[in-house]
Amino acid sequence: MSRILNVGFMKGAAVVLSAAFLSASLCGCAKSNRTIQRMQRLEENVSSPTTEAELKDAIKKYQDRVADIQLANAQVGIWYKMLAVRYLDAKMYGEALKNFQAALNYYPANQNLFYWTGVCASFMASAALDFDATGSSAEHDNYLKLAESSFLRALSLDPRHAKALYSIGVLYVWDMHKFDKAIPYLETLLQIQTKDTDAMMVLAAAYFGNMDYDKAVGMYDRIIATTKLEQKKNEALANKKIVMEKAYGK
C-alpha cells in the first residue's frame, strides 16, 4: 500500500514540477521578449507614440536602424568579395570560390560575382584528381556543372558579358566537349568584339568539333587576316591544314 502511495506521490510531484517548469519557461520567454523590446525603446528613445508627430518620429528612428543594418550587410558582402579577389590573385582558387559564394549571399544579382565563381570552379575542376583511385569523377564533374551554371547565371543577368561569353565557350569546347552549345555564345561574343582572335580560335575549334569544316576553315582564315602576332598566325595556319586534311584529304 505504501509503495502504491509513493508511486502516486512521485507521479503527482512530476506533474506539478512539469507544470511549474512550463510556466517558468513561458514567463521567462515573455520576460525576455519584453526585455528586448524595452532595450530597443530605450536605445531609440521610442516608447508608445500616440500623436502624429511622435508616430512620424518613431518611424524615422526605426528606418534609420534598418538603414544601419542594410549598410553593415552591404559592407560584409564587399569584404567577402575583396577577400575572394586576394585569394584569386594568389591562385588559391578553392578559398576564392568559398568567398565568392559567400559574397553572393549578399549580392545575389551581381553578374561579376557569378562570373568569377565560374572561373574558380573551372580551375578546381582541373585540380579535382582521383587521388584515392576510386574511379569516380564526381568531384570533377560537379565543379564543371558549377562553372557552367555560374557562367549561365552571369549571362542571364548580362547577356553581353564578354568574359562570361568567352569562358562558357572555352568550358564547352575544351572541358565538356559540347561543341554545339559553345557556338552561339562565341558567335555572339564576336558580334561584340569583332577582332577578338582568342574567341575566333575557340570558335574555330568548336566548328571543327561539330564537323562544320567549311566554317572552321573560314574562321582560321579570318584569324590569319586579323592577327598581327606571328605565332597566332602560324597556329591558325597549322590548324587550318589539319581541318583541310580531315575534311578534304588535302
Side-chain angles (χ1 to χ4, degrees), residues 165-239:
L165 287 166
Y166 178 76
S167 294
I168 199 163
V170 170
L171 186 77
Y172 280 142
V173 172
W174 301 121
D175 295 306
M176 304 181 80
H177 308 298
K178 297 179 178 180
F179 307 109
D180 57 325
K181 285 192 172 185
I183 290 169
Y185 294 108
L186 293 166
E187 288 178 340
T188 298
L189 176 57
L190 286 172
Q191 291 172 7
I192 300 168
Q193 299 178 175
T194 58
K195 296 183 178 181
D196 188 337
T197 53
D198 289 332
M200 292 179 200
M201 279 286 192
V202 182
L203 181 55
Y207 284 144
F208 178 71
N210 208 41
M211 295 185 290
D212 295 333
Y213 299 127
D214 289 341
K215 287 185 177 181
V217 169
M219 190 55 58
Y220 285 126
D221 284 338
R222 183 174 169 182
I223 295 167
I224 293 164
T226 303
T227 188
K228 295 181 180 180
L229 299 175
E230 198 66 28
Q231 181 179 354
K232 186 163 287 187
K233 185 177 292 187
N234 291 336
E235 184 180 350
L237 284 167
N239 289 344

Side-chain angles (χ1 to χ4, degrees), residues 48-56:
S48 299
T50 54
T51 67
E52 182 181 348
E54 288 174 340
L55 286 166
K56 287 182 177 179

Side-chain angles (χ1 to χ4, degrees), residues 20-96:
F21 177 78
L22 179 59
S23 176
S25 297
L26 291 173
C27 290
C29 183
K31 183 179 179 181
S32 176
N33 288 338
R34 287 197 299 272
T35 301
I36 291 170
Q37 290 168 0
R38 182 170 178 271
M39 288 174 66
Q40 288 176 332
R41 288 195 298 268
L42 288 171
E43 187 172 346
E44 298 295 346
N45 195 26
V46 175
S47 55
S48 299
T50 54
T51 67
E52 182 181 348
E54 288 174 340
L55 286 166
K56 287 182 177 179
D57 184 55
I59 290 170
K60 183 182 181 305
K61 287 179 177 178
Y62 279 109
Q63 282 178 336
D64 290 343
R65 169 56 60 86
V66 170
D68 288 343
I69 294 170
Q70 183 182 15
L71 182 62
N73 283 335
Q75 190 60 56
V76 171
I78 291 170
W79 286 334
Y80 273 122
K81 182 180 177 182
M82 291 172 63
L83 186 57
V85 171
R86 291 285 184 92
Y87 281 126
L88 190 67
D89 290 341
K91 298 183 179 180
M92 298 172 67
Y93 300 111
E95 293 301 316

